[in-house]
Amino acid sequence: MEPIKAIRGMNDILPSETLLWQQIEATMRQTIQSFGYQEIRFPIVEKTELFKRSIGDTTDIVTKEMYTFLDRNEESLTLRPEGTAVCVRAGIEHGLFYNQIQRLWYLGPYFRYERPQKGRSRQFHHCGAEIFGLNTPDADAELILLSASILQKLGLIPWVTLQINSLGSPASRLSYRQQLVEYFTQHEADLDEESRVRLVHNPLRILDSKNPDLAALIEKAPSLLNYLDDESKIHFEKLQTYLTTLGIVFTVNPRLVRGLDYYTKTVFEWVTHALGSQGTVCAGGRYDNLTEQLGGKPTPALGFAFGMERTVLLAQETQPMMTKSEPSIYFMIADEEALAKAFLLANQLRDAGWKVFTHCGGGSLKNQFKKADKSGATIGLILAEEEFKAETITIKWLREDKPQITVLQKELMNYL
Ligand code: ATP
Ligand code: MG
């Protein structure tokens, strides 16, 4: 029979990789929580309307990347393509935004129907953080500092650069949009097909084109920064001052527009050259109007999301030695009678913090040694007939050239 395979673009994360994932997740969790953020967990499936209303009808995500289906009740549901809209929905629903500042974070799978390639899959993972209730640029600085701290703790700072931009207010963006449409319409013959479609539906996204043939044209396009309203301009300048004071190196990239419609003012990305064209490992920005747009009371907000796959890939490529497994014990049991005793002793060791494999499946001691070696354990414990009767146990160092010793079971802990 043909074995059933996984869905294209939905990858298994195998035991050889999960330790690195766990270490990166733990670093992120610890760092984020040390800034006072609280974890929030929400469903994987939401009403389709939530994403249409927030991400924007003409964005790539909504027009071609969502996993949308009708449930048995004929309701249109969507596998979440991102977390911000869901976080806002949950915050409104549970009254989290009333007269309080919220710092929230989350980690989990997201789904987009895209062309699978290195650093791009159909099920992928975000670690996101969001701040609600602060409209001042110190919050932008804090959030960026948090992302920088994570990268620093992961040892990835040498491999990434920070790009920032301001998208201004909806009004200033609208006047910029008109200038941009005018400019690209004049050069319509030089655009590719994708950009011609964007010219009609979402002209700012032309700036985001990865087509090298358009680079020169985009370079000469009017700059968004010349159209910023005064408030956005001051906000952006203050943020830059804070980042400089914090020693966070950045470049202002006036072409950085991000793929979602809800952003206002600050947007930023941490980008690497080490992963080919899927170079953005973390992206975020301010979305001061989204809560109101989703039916809540006006609440300024901002956030970021790390792409976990790309962060893991970057760690694997730049520092392959990052994972280190802790020392462990392999318990060999050469006598049926000793089994229960061995299991109990093993559990005592686990309670004391050791990782312990107990040998299962019987077999000769020689055979068990082979299994012990394969397990990667650093210490072997042997409980055979002799030891069982004398209430002793034999300790053997599997990776060091030290003689084995036999000790009383009750003194085992002291020897280890
Ligand atoms: P891109 O331009 O690479 O498609 P995006 O702007 O669509 O990214 P966001 O929605 O901002 O991405 O998501 C934040 C981060 O999540 C990205 O910077 C990236 O690291 C990661 N990410 C997004 N889509 C995918 C995907 N399909 N597979 C793996 N990681 C992804
Ligand atoms: Mg995308």
Side-chain angles (χ1 to χ4, degrees), residues 61 112 114 119-121 124 126 210 258-260 278 280-283 305-307 309-310:
I61 295 180
R112 295 182 195 176
E114 301 192 70
R120 192 178 294 288
S121 47
F124 61 98
H126 270 167
K210 310 256 168 8
R258 312 282 302 108
L260 301 88
Q278 317 317 321
T280 304
V281 291
C282 172
F306 271 86
E309 279 72 9
R310 293 183 199 176

Side-chain angles (χ1 to χ4, degrees), residues 171-385:
S172 69
R173 199 161 13 153
L174 201 65
S175 63
Y176 173 64
R177 186 190 148 113
Q178 279 158 6
Q179 293 307 308
L180 205 61
V181 170
E182 213 165 277
Y183 171 80
F184 282 121
T185 307
Q186 278 166 15
H187 300 90
E188 206 176 334
D190 301 327
L191 293 178
D192 60 10
E193 206 172 305
E194 185 182 45
S195 300
R196 274 191 210 116
V197 175
R198 284 176 170 169
L199 185 56
V200 181
H201 295 293
N202 200 343
L204 261 68
R205 285 287 277 167
I206 299 176
L207 301 177
D208 202 29
S209 169
K210 310 256 168 8
N211 183 348
D213 297 342
L214 297 185
L217 189 65
I218 289 170
E219 192 59 45
K220 289 199 209 83
S223 167
L224 194 106
L225 295 174
N226 297 332
Y227 293 81
L228 285 189
D229 53 289
D230 287 343
E231 196 198 315
S232 300
K233 207 181 270 171
I234 293 168
H235 188 101
F236 195 43
E237 277 161 11
K238 277 195 175 162
L239 170 61
Q240 292 179 57
T241 309
Y242 295 147
L243 292 178
T244 306
T245 312
L246 288 167
I248 298 175
V249 182
F250 60 90
T251 49
V252 174
N253 174 3
R255 319 280 170 221
L256 182 68
V257 289
R258 312 282 302 108
L260 301 88
D261 281 355
Y262 53 60
Y263 286 114
T264 50
K265 292 185 179 154
T266 313
V267 289
F268 65 95
E269 288 190 0
W270 288 96
V271 186
T272 179
H273 289 297
L275 296 180
S277 53
Q278 317 317 321
T280 304
V281 291
C282 172
R286 198 169 254 289
Y287 50 91
D288 288 341
N289 303 318
L290 181 59
T291 307
E292 196 178 7
Q293 211 172 306
L294 288 177
K297 79 165 187 141
T299 308
L302 62 160
F304 68 62
F306 271 86
M308 295 301 291
E309 279 72 9
R310 293 183 199 176
T311 309
V312 169
L313 272 173
L314 188 60
Q316 279 169 336
E317 290 196 10
T318 60
Q319 25 186 357
M321 296 306 289
M322 195 164 148
T323 46
K324 46 180 188 308
S325 55
E326 72 269 45
S328 57
I329 294 173
Y330 195 96
F331 214 126
M332 287 164 270
I333 310 156
D335 183 359
E336 279 268 346
E337 255 189 297
L339 192 100
K341 183 77 207 177
F343 273 35
L344 287 174
L345 279 174
N347 246 12
Q348 284 172 15
L349 291 166
R350 291 178 187 122
D351 288 345
W354 286 90
K355 178 161 98 183
V356 185
F357 299 91
T358 37
H359 179 82
C360 290
S364 69
L365 208 51
K366 190 170 159 219
N367 195 324
Q368 296 193 29
F369 262 113
K370 276 192 199 148
K371 297 256 163 63
D373 190 47
K374 233 180 166 176
S375 76
T378 43
I379 294 172
L381 293 179
I382 304 152
L383 194 62
E385 199 186 342

Side-chain angles (χ1 to χ4, degrees), residues 38-214:
Q38 294 176 292
E39 189 185 7
I40 181 166
R41 300 186 185 193
F42 26 68
I44 285 175
V45 191
E46 295 277 344
K47 293 181 182 169
T48 303
E49 190 55 26
L50 172 64
F51 303 113
K52 285 201 173 158
R53 240 210 269 176
S54 54
I55 298 170
D57 273 334
T58 62
T59 58
D60 285 353
I61 295 180
V62 171
T63 54
K64 50 190 191 201
E65 294 176 2
M66 293 205 303
Y67 279 91
T68 297
F69 59 96
L70 292 179
D71 74 357
R72 287 170 193 275
N73 204 20
E74 301 283 296
E75 184 167 22
S76 180
L77 304 181
T78 294
L79 299 186
R80 60 187 195 190
E82 62 113 32
T84 301
V86 187
C87 193
V88 171
R89 195 271 305 139
I92 296 171
E93 194 165 334
H94 302 286
L96 302 184
F97 304 147
Y98 278 100
N99 301 321
Q100 46 189 325
I101 291 161
Q102 289 285 359
R103 289 179 170 84
L104 304 173
W105 74 276
Y106 48 85
L107 176 84
Y110 292 84
F111 304 84
R112 295 182 195 176
Y113 193 82
E114 301 192 70
R115 195 167 70 78
Q117 52 198 291
K118 184 177 174 187
R120 192 178 294 288
S121 47
R122 291 180 174 174
Q123 172 171 335
F124 61 98
H125 298 77
H126 270 167
C127 178
E130 319 274 356
I131 305 177
F132 295 93
L134 289 170
N135 61 12
T136 45
D138 49 357
D140 306 44
E142 179 200 291
L143 188 80
I144 292 175
L145 176 64
L146 170 57
S147 62
S149 303
I150 289 172
L151 289 162
Q152 194 255 325
K153 295 227 161 80
L154 293 174
L156 297 178
I157 284 286
W159 309 96
V160 291
T161 53
L162 173 64
Q163 302 191 356
I164 62 172
N165 192 20
S166 176
L167 300 180
S169 64
S172 69
R173 199 161 13 153
L174 201 65
S175 63
Y176 173 64
R177 186 190 148 113
Q178 279 158 6
Q179 293 307 308
L180 205 61
V181 170
E182 213 165 277
Y183 171 80
F184 282 121
T185 307
Q186 278 166 15
H187 300 90
E188 206 176 334
D190 301 327
L191 293 178
D192 60 10
E193 206 172 305
E194 185 182 45
S195 300
R196 274 191 210 116
V197 175
R198 284 176 170 169
L199 185 56
V200 181
H201 295 293
N202 200 343
L204 261 68
R205 285 287 277 167
I206 299 176
L207 301 177
D208 202 29
S209 169
K210 310 256 168 8
N211 183 348
D213 297 342
L214 297 185

